[in-house]
Amino acid sequence: MDIRGMLAAERAELVELLRDLSAQDWETPSLCAGWSVRDVVGHLLYDTIAPLTYGGVVVRCGFSIDRVNGRLVEKARGLSTDRLIDMFENAAGTLSRFDPALVLADLFVHQQDIRRPLGRPRTIPSDRLRRALEHPDPFARPGRRSKGLRLVATDLDWATGSGPEVRGSAEALALAVVGRTSVLDELEGEGLAELRRRG
């Protein structure tokens, strides 16, 4: 499946999940510090914003991605959950057209940010797992965490890097390198202590 196909499938899976959530589920803390499930979905609406509008937000936020994300999440908090789902389902807009790989990397992680705290696991296709491992979200600075370590997936024919080894499921590795520390207990190997230190 091509990147755009993977992105469409990833979005469709998350939409299906969101339509099944209770009011309490929406307010559950996600794996993103300080963000509820609702806030994560609000963040994902960045793909509905026109380039010039988004650029204006970036300038007003002093070119800080964290501030941009915070502002967009705050704005989305005024929307109903039905409206959030509708906007997200149809959000394949500007950024998806120009950089679908970046949106796929971001969406993959955020889907797990939502699913794990809710206890809603899924079977992730191997092509999407491999893509998440080989092309993580660059804004999460994955190289800072994985540099000098060898990462080895135990459920997928995949490994990368050199140095002390960190082993575990492909999903846990993909989440660990973008800073989801809650998965570190699922990993093992002599390089784990260093990965844990890096957060």
Side-chain angles (χ1 to χ4, degrees):
M1 187 182 294
D2 63 15
I3 299 300
R4 295 183 189 280
M6 289 185 198
L7 177 56
E10 192 74 9
R11 189 186 303 278
E13 284 187 27
L14 183 50
V15 167
E16 183 178 8
L17 171 68
L18 296 177
R19 293 196 185 284
D20 192 45
L21 298 187
S22 68
Q24 183 177 351
D25 289 337
W26 279 95
E27 302 309 320
T28 300
S30 74
L31 295 188
C32 293
W35 282 3
S36 65
V37 167
R38 164 190 275 278
D39 292 335
V40 174
V41 179
H43 158 71
L44 292 171
L45 298 185
Y46 61 76
D47 201 23
T48 65
I49 302 172
L52 287 178
T53 302
Y54 189 86
V57 174
V58 171
V59 171
R60 288 192 296 276
C61 290
F63 297 92
S64 166
I65 295 300
D66 287 340
R67 289 183 192 170
V68 170
N69 286 337
R71 180 166 293 187
L72 297 180
V73 165
E74 188 63 35
K75 183 176 180 180
R77 284 177 179 157
L79 302 173
S80 69
T81 55
D82 285 343
R83 181 62 177 150
L84 281 172
I85 295 171
D86 181 62
M87 290 179 69
F88 172 67
E89 184 174 20
N90 297 290
T94 304
L95 190 53
S96 291
R97 287 196 299 271
F98 290 104
D99 197 344
L102 177 60
V103 177
L104 175 60
D106 189 54
L107 181 53
F108 173 89
V109 172
H110 286 316
Q111 177 149 198
Q112 300 314 111
D113 286 337
I114 291 171
R115 285 181 175 275
R116 279 177 163 257
L118 293 177
R120 300 286 196 99
R122 61 173 173 150
T123 300
I124 305 171
S126 60
D127 59 347
R128 275 185 258 166
L129 279 172
R130 188 177 299 278
R131 182 77 198 182
L133 288 165
E134 295 177 353
H135 302 279
D137 181 356
F139 290 104
R141 302 172 64 199
R144 180 181 70 80
R145 298 181 184 87
S146 61
K147 184 178 180 180
L149 298 174
R150 179 164 178 77
L151 307 180
V152 180
T154 54
D155 56 350
L156 193 67
D157 182 18
W158 182 89
T160 191
S162 60
E165 192 171 280
V166 179
R167 300 180 302 278
S169 70
E171 180 204 351
L173 288 172
L175 294 177
V177 298
V178 294
R180 299 317 190 257
T181 57
S182 62
V183 305
L184 294 177
D185 289 342
E186 301 173 29
L187 303 175
E188 60 183 9
E190 60 182 0
L192 179 57
E194 177 59 20
L195 181 57
R196 192 183 297 276
R197 185 189 69 79
R198 298 173 183 177

